[in-house]
Amino acid sequence: MNLPLTPWYDFRDLSGLSSEISGWVGADWLGSIISGVLGALGILMIIGPVLLGLIWLERKVISRFQQRYGPNRVGPKGLLQPVADAVKLVLKEELRPRAADKFLFLLPPILVFIPGILVWGVIPFGPNMQIADLNVGVLFLLAISSTAVVAIFIAGWSSNNKYALFGSMRVIAMSISYEVPMVLSLLTIVFFTGSMSLNGIVQWQQSEDLILILLLPMTAFTFFFAATAELNRTPMDISEAESEIVAGYHTEYSGMRFGLFYAVELLNTFGISAFVATFFLGGWWLWGLDEWIPSWLILLAKTGAVYFIFIWLRGTLPRLRLDQMMNFCWKFLVPSGLLFLVAAAVERTLLIERGWDASIALPVFGVINFAMMGVAIFAWAKASGTPEQRLPSTALMARGRLGGLRAAQAISRQEAGAFEDFGAEPAGGD
Amino acid sequence: MTTPMPSMDPRELVTVNLGPQHPSTHGVFRLKATLDGETIHDAEMIVGYLHRSMEKLAEERTYTQNIPFTDRIDYLAAMSNNLAYCLAVEKLLGIDVPPRAQFIRILFAELQRIASHAMANGTFINDCGAWHTPLFHMFREREQILDLFEMTCGARLTTNYMRVGGVAFDLPDELLPAVRIFLRDMPGHISDYEDLILGNEILVARARGVGVIDAASAINASFSGPALRGSGVPFDLRKADPYCGYENFEFDIPVGRNGDCYDRFLVRMTEVKESLRILHQVVDNIPPGPWLTELPLHLRPEPGEAYARVESPRGELGFYLVSDGGPSPYRFHCRPPSLINLSALKEMTIGGTLADAIVTLGSIDIVVGEIDR
Amino acid sequence: MTTWLSPQDVAVRVQAAVPDSVVEATDVALVLDPARLTDCILFLRDDDALDLSFLSNLTAVDRDGELEMVYHLQSLDQNHILTVKVAAGGYDDPRVASLEPLYHGALLQECEVYDLFGITFEGHPDLKRIFLWDGFPGHPLRKSFLQMPGNLTAGLPGFSHESGDNDWPVPGSVEERPVHPNQAARTNTVPVPGDPPVVQGGDA
């Protein structure tokens, strides 16, 4: 994208800053190193307060779902609550179980933080506002998010705790399985937009005047739920199911080490929200409004909206069991992902090779894709579940004579149609 | 009911301890599960962490002094415990209770049932994984009920309200209007729960077909309460063996279809609606009059024995008292529905996954105070 | 209304089905012979008219040294209930046949009775002390158990499987705190002239 060379202090175009530093230092390679370091520092400085804000937002929103106020004592509207939490965690004693592996136990909190920050390097905050405009940005995302799994496994294994081991086993099974739908959905996007760089994807959406969620709804759905599983968030947080295995892989961690795990979970969620916003909602572009409103603000607003949906799901849904999650992944997301990949390839061929007119073809493709998504979801809803799961959700009401085994048998036969005078009928309303 | 698990090399099995300190074992309850991967190979339960030797202590206290003890047996349904114990003592003494006291007893027993079911269902959904959201919503109703208790007898949880021969205090003037307000608001909340929770795909997938026990096995395992009715057996002590005037009220008994966790959950939800029906009838028809029979201060029943039971929110709560003519019971035994409903826990959990075991335990609705006494 | 079956009527039928099994039939309960307990209960459970297929309550009473088992059997379909008693023996090794093969619900209740009374149930698949620990000296609900035996202080001196690795006090070595005069004078029942005095001491 050709933009006029802007002064170095204009943050809408960081390449100006980078070339200014190269000029000042004299060597290009030194300049790029320094600007890279500055960029990383900038991201780190922003991540800190953003994390605090995320913790506050999550707690307040979830508590509002639960008919309560949430933290509102520490600071105005509870805004300093995350600061209080952070201070508390820093001051807590960091226990290490005697039988836990000495070095491997200390590693995971750091190791899991690294991918969380690294992915922020490729997110475009504006047409020229990113740390590294890799032309394989999508591949970078997938590669980096896979390394977080190793850290979680090390955490569970080194804790010498059966609960932690359970948690990390579940995490590995889930993460590896859900990588596949994630890759398929990203591949579908790459097919359509023809570019693996995130900025390229946003610019494709800008040039076609269309956000990808309207064109590829099932892909967005797949990516969103695969991301939910990768992030270990409800409804797919079986690996840290508090009601079963206490806290999963971070059971034995205390103090700031646990704080890091907790913070990284939220950071990853925010990062994936940013990715969803970039891929499917247009990123920093908003139909021309990015001329007046800063583009990074637009991106943050979209990210916040997606983050709110993550919190909404967490506050509302119970969690799936591990085998149900595996079913969902391998029997639904992967086949439908493949199907949509083929459909996207066909549509792309029609668009580019056959030269169909984009302004007509794209809406048509959008409608077709929505219809396919509806069919796929409907088919899955019919095919999934056991016969018992389709029983009506009302109780039978025994109005007549009570009894024991014979009465129970009579009621069940009446259900099947035989007449007995036990007067049982389903409760009114469903 | 139980398919025998294939014998395995012990080195491949992992023993995991759930509890006694655990976010969701409903109190100090310990389940030692031997797992093959995620499947439960064997489940052993260990109780006794809350044993307070109530039955022995009760032999040294008078009959009236034992009423606060009964509060603490099943601390989530104190009114039902009080009621069962007072009925047993009244059976020993052979006395009747004035009609107003009967109505008041039913009023509080049904309010207690709603509060206890709110807690039971809320924690059940919690076990299924919803991060406390339905629990907090149901606790909102429970708070209203506990406020009503506090208005009457001063205590929210361990109420100590029933006495032998009636109830301790008369209803305060502000109670019945407050109950009417509660009855007016409750159906709206219940329909919210039905819309949001009952049809929830994930809840159905987690709870349907899990922890199944059929009717014959349930009867043989002495199940009672919602656990028994969830398996399809239409038996409720309020209808079968009416006490306290329950025969004068109109209500129905919900019954499940196939004895899984979802059915027990559904039976509890429907029982709350039936309790509201009873409460409407009670509130409209309370007669004036005395609320406590005049009895001597030191009760000395004739030597004999009595077994009286009530339908507590957890099942058949019975008290077996043996009297030797003295001021204290010679034998004080509480028949705990929570302990007895756990008889078939092994059969219900073996073969399923660990997650299912937690959900099953939550659906049986145990209170460890009742198990251990 | 659940009818309480008359033990005398039931005794006639039980005697006819299982000879020499009824020891006595009072107004309150049907007392059976311990040796024929399983056969009698099997008859009571499987008989079509009686249909006592629900075990409502299983407990024991210590009648001054003679332990006695009390069962409340109920029929859900017929809606009647019957009290059955059986003598379990004295303090030395009391034994009763287990009802667990007949009623699965007896599983935990019999463990409880074993724990608190010391009655051994023959045929029980998993008899263990569920409330108290394995090394607990004595059976608390017996009338002879009035204090911890051997001058043990109340509370746990240590877990039975541990061996001196903790700093719990050695049993018997802790000095008794002086008891306040008001507390020493108080017994938990109001003494009434003419009542027999409360007996202290005794062994497990």
Side-chain angles (χ1 to χ4, degrees):
Chain A
M1 193 77 174
N2 293 322
L3 281 178
L5 196 61
T6 54
W8 63 269
Y9 48 79
D10 186 357
F11 281 104
R12 282 177 303 171
D13 186 355
L14 289 179
S15 61
L17 179 63
S18 181
S19 49
E20 182 74 24
I21 292 179
S22 298
W24 183 67
V25 169
D28 227 358
W29 58 270
L30 194 56
S32 59
I33 290 180
I34 293 180
S35 51
V37 167
L38 279 180
L41 279 177
I43 286 282
L44 277 175
M45 282 198 311
I46 297 176
I47 292 282
V50 160
L51 264 179
L52 295 182
L54 290 179
I55 298 177
W56 177 85
L57 194 67
E58 168 127 13
R59 287 181 69 166
K60 280 298 236 187
V61 170
I62 284 215
S63 58
R64 285 291 170 163
F65 276 111
Q66 294 173 350
Q67 300 274 325
R68 53 188 179 94
Y69 285 118
N72 58 358
R73 301 279 176 201
V74 188
K77 295 241 183 271
L79 280 167
L80 291 181
Q81 178 73 39
V83 176
D85 284 343
V87 169
K88 174 200 82 167
L89 284 171
V90 166
L91 293 177
K92 263 198 187 200
E93 179 182 359
E94 294 185 352
L95 300 167
R96 182 182 70 84
R98 203 186 305 160
D101 195 305
K102 285 198 189 59
F103 174 61
L104 286 182
F105 191 74
L106 307 177
L107 205 51
I110 309 164
L111 215 54
V112 83
F113 198 54
I114 296 175
I117 304 186
L118 268 181
V119 293
W120 285 92
V122 288
I123 295 182
F125 287 91
N128 242 313
M129 252 173 105
Q130 52 194 109
I131 309 282
D133 187 7
L134 300 177
N135 53 1
V136 285
V138 167
L139 197 59
F140 180 77
L141 162 68
L142 288 171
I144 295 295
S145 57
S146 308
T147 61
V149 181
V150 177
I152 295 179
F153 174 58
I154 298 178
W157 178 262
S158 64
S159 297
N160 195 45
N161 178 340
K162 279 175 196 154
Y163 291 139
L165 195 63
F166 263 101
S168 55
M169 287 300 151
R170 287 173 172 179
V171 163
I172 291 182
M174 259 172 42
S175 296
I176 295 181
S177 305
Y178 275 90
E179 293 277 339
V180 181
M182 215 165 170
V183 168
L184 286 175
S185 59
L186 289 177
L187 258 184
T188 312
I189 301 177
V190 167
F191 266 29
F192 241 99
T193 59
S195 144
M196 264 197 182
S197 111
L198 273 76
N199 216 357
I201 294 177
V202 176
Q203 281 162 4
W204 185 91
Q205 296 180 64
Q206 185 180 31
S207 67
E208 303 289 342
D209 235 358
L210 185 69
I211 54 177
L212 271 176
I213 194 171
L214 296 176
L215 186 58
L216 299 170
M218 188 66 192
T219 312
F221 178 87
T222 306
F223 184 77
F224 188 80
F225 279 101
T228 315
E230 292 282 332
L231 297 168
N232 299 328
R233 280 187 73 92
T234 319
M236 308 200 179
D237 62 346
I238 192 85
S239 58
E240 36 179 69
E242 181 197 85
S243 59
E244 294 157 34
I245 47 175
V246 189
Y249 56 89
H250 52 75
T251 310
E252 292 286 355
Y253 287 90
S254 56
M256 203 52 198
R257 296 187 197 146
F258 167 73
L260 274 177
F261 274 115
Y262 183 57
V264 164
E265 180 185 328
L266 293 181
L267 182 64
N268 277 340
T269 310
F270 200 60
I272 293 279
S273 308
F275 278 107
V276 172
T278 309
F279 291 139
F280 299 105
L281 296 178
W284 51 260
W285 165 78
L286 192 62
W287 282 288
L289 255 112
D290 47 295
E291 302 279 324
W292 290 282
I293 307 178
S295 52
W296 49 271
L297 205 60
I298 295 178
L299 178 65
L300 249 101
K302 291 181 186 173
T303 308
V306 179
Y307 186 61
F308 174 74
I309 298 184
F310 272 115
I311 301 180
W312 188 357
L313 285 181
R314 180 182 187 195
T316 326
L317 295 175
R319 72 173 65 95
L320 288 171
R321 219 170 47 210
L322 190 64
D323 56 312
Q324 291 164 345
M325 282 182 47
M326 291 293 137
N327 270 354
F328 184 64
C329 171
W330 292 105
K331 292 187 188 170
F332 180 54
L333 288 183
V334 169
S336 67
L338 285 170
L339 186 68
F340 275 87
L341 187 65
V342 168
V346 168
E347 290 168 5
R348 167 82 174 172
T349 314
L350 292 175
L351 201 56
I352 300 296
E353 315 267 311
R354 300 296 180 87
W356 284 16
D357 184 11
S359 55
I360 304 174
L362 286 179
V364 169
F365 290 152
V367 169
I368 294 178
N369 286 341
F370 264 99
M372 283 171 70
M373 171 173 161
V375 166
I377 293 183
F378 187 71
W380 168 251
K382 280 288 165 192
S384 74
T386 60
E388 300 134 332
Q389 288 173 7
R390 285 188 264 282
L391 289 173
S393 58
T394 50
L396 302 171
M397 302 303 279
R399 292 198 175 94
R401 209 184 83 208
L402 298 182
L405 189 59
R406 287 208 290 267
Q409 288 162 345
I411 288 181
S412 60
R413 265 173 302 175
Q414 182 177 37
E415 261 281 88
F419 176 77
E420 289 282 347
D421 91 323
F422 271 96
E425 50 193 77
D430 198 331
Chain B
M1 197 173 38
T2 321
T3 47
M5 296 298 282
S7 61
M8 290 189 61
D9 186 354
R11 288 170 300 175
E12 290 190 29
L13 299 171
V14 174
T15 308
V16 166
N17 218 358
L18 288 157
Q21 219 182 6
H22 190 93
S24 92
T25 50
H26 302 271
V28 275
F29 176 83
R30 183 171 159 205
L31 189 69
K32 225 162 126 174
T34 312
L35 299 168
D36 159 31
E38 282 263 346
T39 317
I40 292 190
H41 202 254
D42 190 18
E44 180 196 342
M45 67 176 223
I46 297 149
V47 293
Y49 291 95
L50 201 50
H51 182 64
R52 296 159 285 180
S53 65
M54 268 189 193
E55 300 191 347
K56 183 77 175 181
L57 290 172
E59 292 171 10
E60 298 176 6
R61 286 157 176 77
T62 67
Y63 288 93
T64 311
Q65 282 176 329
N66 282 334
I67 297 178
F69 266 13
T70 58
D71 282 336
R72 285 138 177 93
I73 290 180
D74 176 0
Y75 36 79
L76 292 177
M79 292 284 190
S80 307
N81 290 54
N82 289 350
L83 181 57
Y85 176 71
C86 292
L87 286 176
V89 182
E90 285 155 15
K91 209 166 171 182
L92 268 183
L93 290 169
I95 59 171
D96 281 326
V97 171
R100 183 177 173 84
Q102 288 191 332
F103 273 75
I104 295 178
R105 281 179 169 184
I106 293 184
L107 173 73
F108 283 103
E110 293 306 313
L111 281 174
Q112 183 70 269
R113 189 180 313 273
I114 298 176
S116 174
H117 282 333
M119 175 105 189
N121 277 349
T123 51
F124 171 73
I125 305 178
N126 218 26
D127 291 340
C128 288
W131 290 89
H132 305 293
T133 305
L135 180 67
F136 275 110
H137 282 248
M138 292 184 186
F139 263 34
R140 184 186 47 192
E141 275 72 70
R142 188 167 175 261
E143 283 300 310
Q144 279 186 288
I145 296 177
L146 295 183
D147 284 343
L148 294 173
F149 287 173
E150 194 184 5
M151 215 185 277
T152 316
C153 60
R156 286 156 49 98
L157 207 60
T158 51
T159 47
N160 188 19
Y161 181 54
M162 317 277 177
R163 294 283 180 272
V164 180
V167 293
F169 318 107
D170 195 12
L171 301 176
D173 293 326
E174 59 266 20
L175 182 77
L176 284 179
V179 175
R180 287 204 167 88
I181 294 177
F182 170 75
L183 291 176
R184 186 197 65 200
D185 290 337
M186 191 64 180
H189 295 310
I190 293 186
S191 67
D192 277 346
Y193 301 144
E194 289 185 336
D195 292 334
L196 289 172
I197 299 176
L198 279 190
N200 188 322
E201 283 284 329
I202 299 183
L203 183 68
V204 168
R206 279 307 289 277
R208 273 264 185 239
V210 166
V212 180
I213 187 163
D214 61 303
S217 314
I219 293 177
N220 192 263
S222 298
F223 270 36
S224 53
L228 181 66
R229 292 192 282 279
S231 301
V233 180
F235 188 78
D236 188 321
L237 280 170
R238 293 175 290 170
K239 288 259 190 198
D241 195 7
Y243 49 92
C244 244
Y246 266 109
E247 60 268 15
N248 303 325
F249 294 95
E250 258 188 48
F251 59 100
D252 300 317
I253 308 297
V255 152
R257 282 175 177 79
N258 57 342
D260 52 19
C261 294
Y262 190 80
D263 276 333
R264 294 189 274 272
F265 168 73
L266 190 60
V267 163
R268 286 194 191 100
M269 291 286 270
T270 321
E271 274 186 11
V272 169
K273 293 204 290 200
E274 295 302 315
S275 291
L276 288 178
R277 256 175 92 179
I278 302 178
L279 283 173
H280 274 293
Q281 296 168 53
V282 168
V283 164
D284 291 335
N285 296 320
I286 288 194
W291 59 93
L292 185 61
T293 321
E294 287 295 326
L295 285 175
L297 185 60
H298 300 301
L299 300 169
R300 291 163 179 275
E302 294 298 308
E305 62 183 54
Y307 178 55
R309 55 258 176 83
V310 303
E311 182 76 25
S312 94
R314 276 158 197 89
E316 174 185 332
L317 176 67
F319 277 89
Y320 176 66
L321 295 173
V322 175
S323 155
D324 61 346
S328 309
Y330 184 79
R331 172 85 173 103
F332 171 103
H333 174 69
C334 164
R335 183 244 191 236
S338 299
L339 178 68
I340 298 172
N341 285 353
L342 285 178
S343 310
L345 185 69
K346 228 183 225 195
E347 286 76 19
M348 283 159 66
T349 52
I350 285 185
T353 67
L354 187 61
D356 289 341
I358 301 283
V359 168
T360 307
L361 193 62
S363 77
I364 297 180
D365 186 19
I366 57 170
V367 168
V368 181
E370 202 172 52
I371 293 179
D372 289 341
R373 273 156 290 139
Chain C
M1 203 69 197
T2 307
T3 40
W4 285 81
L5 288 175
S6 153
Q8 288 93 343
D9 299 337
V10 179
V12 170
R13 302 203 55 210
V14 171
Q15 193 78 306
V18 185
D20 286 335
S21 53
V22 177
V23 167
E24 110 182 80
T26 65
D27 282 333
V28 169
L30 179 66
V31 187
L32 295 176
D33 180 16
R36 287 176 185 64
L37 180 66
T38 314
D39 295 329
C40 291
I41 303 282
L42 198 61
F43 166 71
L44 289 172
R45 188 187 79 170
D46 293 337
D47 180 57
D48 280 329
L50 289 173
D51 187 35
L52 294 170
S53 55
F54 185 82
L55 175 70
S56 181
N57 184 27
L58 187 159
T59 185
V61 184
D62 179 355
R63 304 254 182 210
D64 281 325
E66 292 301 317
L67 297 169
E68 162 185 86
M69 293 293 302
V70 179
Y71 307 101
H72 289 97
L73 302 171
Q74 182 175 1
S75 163
L76 301 182
D77 279 311
Q78 312 278 0
N79 206 9
H80 52 224
I81 188 169
L82 174 69
T83 314
V84 173
K85 293 192 185 180
V86 92
Y91 286 157
D92 287 327
D93 194 26
R95 295 182 161 266
V96 176
S98 166
L99 288 195
E100 202 274 339
L102 301 173
Y103 299 101
H104 191 53
L107 183 79
L108 295 168
Q109 301 187 76
E110 286 184 347
C111 284
E112 176 188 339
V113 170
Y114 169 64
D115 189 4
L116 299 174
F117 282 95
I119 301 177
T120 311
F121 290 91
E122 288 154 351
H124 193 279
D126 187 21
L127 199 62
K128 58 180 180 175
R129 302 192 76 154
I130 56 173
F131 295 152
L132 301 164
W133 61 96
D134 273 325
F136 188 86
H139 298 278
L141 277 181
R142 292 186 178 177
K143 291 293 178 187
S144 60
F145 188 98
L146 290 171
Q147 64 180 33
M148 294 289 287
N151 277 331
L152 289 178
T153 53
L156 283 179
F159 289 102
S160 51
H161 61 270
E162 278 175 6
S163 58
D165 199 28
N166 48 36
D167 45 359
W168 286 96
V170 173
S173 71
V174 176
E175 277 180 11
E176 297 291 339
R177 272 190 324 208
V179 179
H180 195 275
N182 283 356
Q183 191 163 21
R186 177 174 158 258
T187 60
N188 274 321
T189 59
V190 178
V192 173
D195 272 353
V198 178
V199 174
Q200 296 290 342
D203 59 307

